[in-house]
Structure formats: C-alpha cells, structure tokens
Amino acid sequence: MFNFLFSLFLSGLLESSTRLKPHEAQNYRKKALWVSWFSIIVTLALAVAAFTVSVMRYSASAFGFAFDAILDVLSSAIVLWRYSNAAAVHSAHREYIACVILGVIFLLSSICIVVKAIHDLSTRLLPEVDDFLFSVSILSGILCSILAVLKFMLGKVLTSRALITDGFNSLVGGVMGFSILLSAEVFKHNSAVWYLDGSIGVLIGLTIFAYGVKLLIDMVPRVRQTRHYEMFE
C-alpha cells in the first residue's frame, strides 16, 4: 500500500521536485513569472508593430511574425497561470494541462499563418522595403531570441515542458523577425525571388503545426494519468 501511494505521489510531480529545495523552486517560479510578464509586454508591442508592417508593406512574413507574437502573448499568459499557484510549482497535472492548451493554440495559429502565406503566394503579393520594416525585423529577432534563451534555461531547471514550449515559440518569433529582413533584402536586390517571403511563412506555419500536434500527442494521455493523482489529493 505504501509503495502504491508513493508511486502515485511521484506520478503527480515533476522531476524538479526531487532536485530543488523548496526555496529554490519558489525563487525560480518567481523568475518564470517575471520573464512571462516581460514577454507579454514586449511581444504585444512587437505584434502591433508587425501587423502595421504587414498591412503597410504587404509582408507575409511580417503577418506570420505578428500572429506568432500574439501566440507568444497567449503562451506566456498560460505560463503565468501555470506558476500562479505557489503550491503547484511541481504539479505535473497543471503542467500537462498548460501544454495541451498551448498545443491547441499552436494548431490554430499555424493554420492562420499558412492560409495567409498561401494566399499571398497565389496572388503574387510583393513586399515593400523601408527603414521601418528593417527596424522591426532587427528588434523582433533580438528580443525574441533573448526571451527564448531565458525561457529555455528556466524550463530546464524547473523541468517544465510548458516553459520550454513557450521558449520554442519565442525562438520561432526570433527566426521570423530575422526572416522578414532576409526576404525583404533578397527581394530588394532580386525581384525574381518574390516568393521567398510567402515560402518562409508557410514553412514556419507548418513547423508550428507539427510542434502543436506532437505536444498534444505527448500531453493528452499524461493529463488523464495525473488526473488520478489530483483526485487522490
């Protein structure tokens, strides 16, 4: 009976519960909250700028980045919910629920990005290049890459798939930011490669879709498994 209860207890906790002292876990939890709030503020501002670029300069990559930035805002908000309860810092059930929600958001976002990119490719929509587009691209690439590194580091320490997923989304945002610059500069020097912008949008959309599917396949069964632990609690 004792072995059964002990195994049930461990199944409801993340690996970090056996490696971190209580005060260390709470310290990293607070850092995760601060990074998530910072991410929400930064990516929301970048989303507004990217949507502006997309409308003014007809950029599929800018539209894709703006959608990914909105996704980053939502995923960071989910991480905020995940770590809002100090007592649930090691809760596997809460972790897996957050990951399932992230997976659904990834699928919806990827569909929107791919549909928009394919539409732009089919209508041969040509991007325009100016200093505003260049500035947004550089700023987005740098800030999102920094956020990705911070989230990956915290996710590794807390053994949090939700934080790592949020970091992956920020990394995609960084890649998309630099891709806006790349496709715009290539088009500026060679107008025959007009399709690069839309092609990058399709590729990134499919990448997000694949990650979302993988996340749901991995996490849905685990939510069911850890539900028994939550009921026992």
Side-chain angles (χ1 to χ4, degrees):
M1 182 63 179
F2 173 78
N3 290 335
F4 170 74
L5 294 177
F6 185 69
S7 62
L8 187 63
F9 173 75
L10 289 180
S11 68
L13 298 178
L14 297 175
E15 184 184 329
S16 57
S17 64
T18 62
R19 296 191 295 102
L20 295 177
K21 297 178 181 179
H23 71 277
E24 291 177 331
Q26 292 303 320
N27 183 40
Y28 283 113
R29 182 187 74 88
K30 292 176 182 178
K31 289 180 179 178
L33 292 175
W34 278 107
V35 169
S36 296
W37 274 117
F38 180 71
S39 179
I40 289 174
I41 294 171
V42 169
T43 51
L44 188 59
L46 291 176
V48 173
F51 269 124
T52 303
V53 170
S54 176
V55 173
M56 294 174 60
R57 299 295 176 256
Y58 310 106
S59 171
S61 290
F63 181 86
F65 170 78
F67 245 95
D68 186 73
I70 293 297
L71 171 61
D72 206 340
V73 171
L74 294 176
S75 62
S76 295
I78 292 170
V79 172
L80 280 178
W81 168 82
R82 162 69 183 90
Y83 287 104
S84 61
N85 187 345
V89 64
H90 299 302
S91 172
H93 187 66
R94 196 178 182 93
E95 175 77 17
Y96 300 150
I97 289 177
C99 288
V100 169
I101 297 173
L102 285 172
V104 173
I105 293 175
F106 269 44
L107 296 185
L108 296 176
S109 176
S110 65
I111 292 172
C112 293
I113 293 173
V114 171
V115 169
K116 176 64 166 61
I118 291 177
H119 172 268
D120 291 347
L121 286 171
S122 63
T123 57
R124 293 178 63 92
L125 194 62
L126 305 179
E128 297 181 22
V129 184
D130 63 7
D131 292 339
F132 184 44
L133 176 61
F134 179 86
S135 300
V136 170
S137 176
I138 291 294
L139 190 62
S140 301
I142 293 174
L143 290 177
C144 288
S145 297
I146 293 173
L147 285 170
V149 172
L150 292 175
K151 292 172 183 178
F152 282 142
M153 292 173 63
L154 288 170
K156 183 177 180 180
V157 173
L158 291 169
T159 59
S160 171
R161 182 74 177 272
L163 259 173
I164 292 174
T165 298
D166 193 20
F168 170 79
N169 188 54
S170 294
L171 180 62
V172 170
V175 172
M176 294 182 89
F178 289 124
S179 73
I180 296 172
L181 174 63
L182 174 64
S183 59
E185 286 300 310
V186 169
F187 176 75
K188 182 178 180 180
H189 293 91
N190 185 3
S191 59
V193 197
W194 60 270
Y195 53 82
L196 181 61
D197 187 58
S199 299
I200 292 175
V202 171
L203 180 61
I204 291 176
L206 292 177
T207 301
I208 295 174
F209 184 85
Y211 192 96
V213 170
K214 179 68 165 54
L215 202 59
L216 290 176
I217 292 174
D218 289 345
M219 295 300 153
V220 170
R222 297 185 185 184
V223 170
R224 295 172 180 172
Q225 292 171 0
T226 55
R227 183 187 304 156
H228 299 297
Y229 169 78
E230 293 292 318
M231 294 173 63
F232 176 78
E233 282 280 285

